[in-house]
Amino acid sequence: MNDACRMPALLLAAWIIAMPAALAQDSERNRYFVQQMIEMAATNNEQGVAGMQRMLEQNPRPAAPDQAAARAAFQHGLALFGQDALDAALEAFQQASRDDPGNADAANYAGLVYRKMGRFPEAEAALQQALALEPTRAVAWFQLAQVYGLTNDADRALGALANTYRFAQNQMRAEEILRNIAENEAADILRNAALETLRLFHLPAEAVIVPPLPANPDGIVPMNSAPIPTRAP
Amino acid sequence: MNFPLLAFRGVALALALTGALPASASQYETIDYYVQQMIALASANEEAGVLIFREQIENLPRPEPGDARQASPFSQHGQERLAGGQLKEALAAFRQAFIADPADPEIAGALGLTYLRLRRFKEAERLLVYALSLAPTRSASWLALGQVYGQQGDVRRATGAFVNALRFAQDQPQATEQLRQLATADPADAVRIGALQALRATKPAPATKPVPLTDSPPPQPAVPVQPGGDSRHVSEIQTTPSTTTTRDLLGSLKQGLALLAKPADPATAEPTASPAADNGNPGQRIYRRGMPLTCLIVTFQDGKTANLGSGLLVSKDGLVITNNHVIDKAENLAVRCGDRESVARIRKRSKEPDLALLATKLKSKESFILNQTYSQDLIGLDVFVIGNPYGLESTFSTGVISGLREIDGVRYIQISAPISPGNSGGPVILRDGTVIGVATMGLKVGQNLNFAIAAADVIASPIFAPKQMQVRSVSAP
């Protein structure tokens, strides 16, 4: 092989070696910006949040090797998710992400499935990926807040909920969702974070005196709560 | 007054104000601005201006429609609960409906009305303003918003909202009657004044059919019907000329208010028994009477829920007995007895017997009576237990007194009624409604071998407060 042929090959090899590192750097960078958005939201630093949002939005959109396949995989994942087939749905959403790394929907749903599976670190990573692609996606912020709430991270749950409200298309609906959580959520961290978020935005909120009890404490299924079939006499 | 000139002034003012909204206003600030302008112009009887802002609202971008099919059953459920006065249940249902379909003005309005009934006026205002942004001519939302302002003492805005309620009502006689009711019967001064001013400010709706040209009397407040009441003061209110100042009106209305029945205070109202409460089933009777006096106790540590148990209300000034182990290590305490909630603090506690006395803000006309009997005669009597096992609130179970035991110097009533973690501190009740013990522990081996600290030992313990708690001996079975 002559030098002229060798040069592109070397460049390709260098790019292949460097690519994971670059991707990892991008991922870390994006994670940093998302975390900054959370921190700044928790102190209602609107300008700071907007600045970090712009940084994320300036990221070039990743190339999509096969957008059509990504769409098909995503739709398949949605159908599986609807059937509560979480493992298969997760695989489909991951496939959609591989086929189109810029597909925020796929990353968001992967995060949702991970959360439902109780795999919180993976859920956090997937949701951060979704937010890096689309930092104003309120649903992803809400999912992320729940992950933090379930992992007892009160500050970040507050920041993520604040961004949920900030970016909600219908803020009155978001406000009512927050109020619902602040009054009815059994998980203390999430409930308190919702209350703090309402206060952060000077929205009316009522702190509960007696917190709501878990709907299903220790896995108990109250037998008398099931509807009793009745037959006409 | 020259009407065309007035109309022109209203239009000019409205046009000037339409551009006054800051560009950075939030979604709610924008719609609130327009709704407030409609109120201000309505109270000044600037009809043309009101219509301009109505148009501005109608030109705002609509929120994304939600899932009406999902919202519908919640909404229906909420209406049923609201009609039945179950406000918390109605709130939960309308919230779900609103979250499912936030673009439906009926649902947003119903949620706002529920907040109003719960006296959560800030939330009510926001939801009703939002509902009006979806449907600025929805009379019911204006009527409820007027009440929200009136409840907060804002006569001017109450009047403006009520004027709009009348202006946009499809059924004018019904809306007029609703305002008359508010003008006479509402306990809040500003609601009554606002409703009365709106009735006076608004001309009767133009009839669609020719009517005889006679002077129709202006709308008058209805005379409140009160047995034995003196209606002369009310007549004075009715004959007050329309030029009366607000201060005069307030004075007159205060006189009228004196004639109106004071609404019952739910905190001190006598519990009313349902017809089923008088039937022959002692369990149902005991449950209905004992449930509001049985408390859920929640403890907090490091800002998080740490433990939960049960308790019993034993005095009219809110003293609650529970087990010491329930509140052990608690930094903060909250109790819920029936529908009422309060923070609590520990007044006294003792390790042996395992008891604690909590002070709460729950005033009550009824409280549990402790039964001081501790004798072999108790064995075989029916007992009833109310508590919150595993957080399953107000769980009711029954059994008999199986024995009397003394463990480490403490007298216990052994019962066969099932108890579980979360029952600790709850009442063990006899057929006559007196408390014979405080549910405390059970044996893990065997079946239904459970123990309650004898009420006799509660009375003998340092937590007993003789001036506040009632005691009785066992009545004949």
Side-chain angles (χ1 to χ4, degrees), chain B residues 202-351:
Chain B
T202 313
K203 293 173 186 172
T208 50
K209 291 179 184 174
V211 291
L213 293 171
T214 53
D215 285 334
S216 58
Q220 295 294 336
V223 178
V225 179
Q226 190 180 20
D230 184 348
S231 64
R232 280 174 301 177
H233 297 294
V234 179
S235 300
E236 285 170 21
I237 297 169
Q238 288 174 326
T239 54
T240 306
S242 59
T243 51
T244 308
T245 63
T246 304
R247 186 175 295 175
D248 294 340
L249 206 56
L250 183 64
S252 303
L253 283 167
K254 276 184 174 165
Q255 283 183 316
L257 179 64
L259 298 172
L260 299 170
K262 191 183 175 188
D265 179 359
T268 55
E270 284 281 3
T272 51
S274 65
D278 293 323
N279 69 14
N281 187 325
Q284 286 183 312
R285 180 174 48 80
I286 285 165
Y287 179 75
R288 289 199 178 96
R289 182 176 172 270
M291 196 274 280
L293 308 178
T294 304
C295 309
L296 168 73
I297 295 174
V298 181
T299 73
F300 303 90
Q301 255 180 297
D302 302 326
K304 291 172 69 179
T305 309
N307 197 10
L308 61 90
S310 304
L312 56 146
L313 198 61
V314 286
S315 77
K316 291 175 182 176
D317 58 354
L319 292 178
V320 171
I321 287 176
T322 186
N323 283 134
N324 184 50
H325 75 256
V326 170
I327 51 106
D328 202 23
K329 296 177 187 167
E331 289 167 359
N332 292 297
L333 289 163
V335 300
R336 174 160 58 222
C337 308
D339 289 334
R340 297 186 299 143
E341 298 180 352
S342 168
V343 292
R345 60 182 177 78
I346 301 165
R347 181 174 277 191
K348 286 178 184 172
R349 60 200 299 180
S350 103
K351 282 197 172 178

Side-chain angles (χ1 to χ4, degrees), chain B residues 18-42:
Chain B
T18 51
L21 190 64
S24 62
S26 71
Q27 289 172 10
Y28 180 78
E29 284 167 348
T30 304
I31 58 178
D32 186 49
Y33 176 80
Y34 290 131
V35 169
Q36 295 307 324
Q37 294 307 324
M38 280 183 81
I39 290 170
L41 291 163

